Amino acid sequence: MEQIAAALGDGARWRLVELLAERPRSVGELAELTGLRQPQTTKHLQTLARAGLVTVFPLGQRRVYAVEAGPLKDLEGRLRTLITTIEANAGERDVLARYQAAIGADTEAAKEDRWADGRAFSFDRLLAAPRDDVWRHWTEPALLASWWAPPSMTVTDCVIEPWAGGRAVLDYRDAEGRYRSAGKVRAAAEPEHLEFDLSVLTAEGDTFFTGHYDLKFTEAPGGTRLRLDLRITETTVDAVPFIAGIETGWGQVLDNLATRLTKEKD
């Protein structure tokens, strides 16, 4: 397939295939129609033949070429599969566009430190699992690591110790680098309430910003309703990419949690 795509990736060869799609033609006719010299035309036709796209018919002194539809149908199938995959994941592109827009807006606002202190976010999810199960997915490290990162990120360390003064840690990485957050649990009442602080840190351990997380788990028909309220403080100018990504990032990880709990139920 790569050979077919490479052969068609040249403008002159693509034009030859277009002309041959109308009917078989001789090398001389193709050279005349494309404006290419005959040796150039022959070279391009040989490339197309090696890819299986054309067949040559020697007719005495003339060499007539005809296009083959089979390889093009195979390419069409691969392209349709590719297009279907792209369309099925169009939401990922939309997420990227919203994130870019949020960075642009926050960059305008971030003229000095504390620029976003007090900004608040709220998230609600109806999760298809009892409160005890949801609680475990927040407080057991192995379960927490299974969902607490957006796509393309890998959790390398995470913990929320469910008691006042317990540690809250989120360490993850992607191909671009490592990202670390640390803080403390402020309150925990199993299985209905969890409150903790988490500071996003620089490589030197300085704070980009701190998030104050307040989670409430309420029994609801079909499972558990999760309410997450987040308020940020200690914002620095350099925190723009992180703060701009909060809405999208938390939306994605809570979707991860919902999907995981639904699969476990099924």
Side-chain angles (χ1 to χ4, degrees):
M1 195 55 62
E2 289 77 9
Q3 190 178 15
I4 294 172
L8 293 173
D10 179 273
R13 289 195 288 271
W14 180 264
R15 180 55 182 153
L16 290 171
V17 170
E18 286 183 323
L19 291 169
L20 291 172
E22 297 171 353
R23 60 178 173 80
R25 298 178 191 270
S26 67
V27 177
E29 183 183 3
L30 289 168
E32 186 174 283
L33 290 170
T34 58
L36 296 171
R37 292 184 293 114
Q38 192 154 320
Q40 286 179 299
T41 305
T42 298
K43 189 175 179 180
H44 284 311
L45 288 168
Q46 289 172 341
T47 299
L48 293 170
R50 285 195 294 273
L53 289 162
V54 300
T55 299
V56 59
F57 293 85
L59 302 176
Q61 297 299 315
R62 302 175 67 225
R63 297 177 68 81
V64 176
Y65 281 84
V67 71
E68 299 292 340
L72 293 172
K73 288 181 178 177
D74 292 342
L75 179 62
E76 179 188 29
R78 292 283 293 272
L79 288 174
R80 285 189 182 280
T81 300
L82 185 62
I83 291 168
T84 299
T85 302
I86 292 171
E87 291 177 343
N89 293 287
E92 299 294 331
R93 186 184 183 284
D94 293 341
V95 166
L96 197 62
R98 289 199 301 273
Y99 183 35
Q100 182 186 34
I103 288 178
D106 281 345
T107 299
E108 288 296 315
K111 302 300 184 188
E112 57 185 23
D113 289 347
R114 305 283 183 176
W115 63 278
D117 280 13
R119 187 178 294 188
F121 304 83
S122 294
F123 304 88
D124 278 282
R125 289 290 188 284
L126 179 59
L127 304 172
R131 280 197 303 180
D132 288 344
D133 285 352
V134 177
W135 179 266
R136 289 175 50 237
H137 280 75
W138 278 91
T139 58
E140 293 185 12
L143 294 177
L144 185 61
S146 70
W147 63 268
W148 201 13
S152 81
M153 300 284 189
T154 300
V155 174
T156 54
D157 186 19
C158 68
V159 63
I160 299 176
E161 296 173 338
W163 55 82
R167 293 180 303 132
V169 172
L170 173 60
D171 192 351
Y172 55 78
R173 63 172 175 78
D174 63 7
E176 306 300 321
R178 179 188 175 203
Y179 311 90
R180 183 165 181 79
S181 302
K184 285 187 177 181
V185 173
R186 297 297 175 189
E190 183 179 354
E192 59 190 38
H193 182 222
L194 185 60
E195 188 176 340
F196 60 92
D197 298 337
L198 202 59
S199 297
V200 178
L201 304 175
T202 67
E204 295 75 26
D206 297 327
T207 297
F208 278 119
F209 78 96
T210 296
H212 305 274
Y213 299 82
D214 190 339
L215 292 90
K216 295 182 176 64
F217 308 93
T218 307
E219 290 182 347
T224 301
R225 180 162 294 284
L226 167 66
R227 166 81 178 192
L228 167 58
D229 290 306
L230 165 60
R231 181 175 55 83
I232 59 177
T233 61
E234 301 182 276
T235 52
T236 63
V237 171
D238 293 334
V240 166
F242 299 102
I243 293 173
I246 287 175
E247 191 84 42
T248 297
W250 269 104
Q252 289 178 320
V253 296
L254 291 178
D255 286 345
N256 290 346
L257 175 60
T259 299
R260 181 173 181 81
L261 289 168
T262 299
K263 286 181 178 177
E264 289 179 0
K265 179 184 177 185
D266 296 340

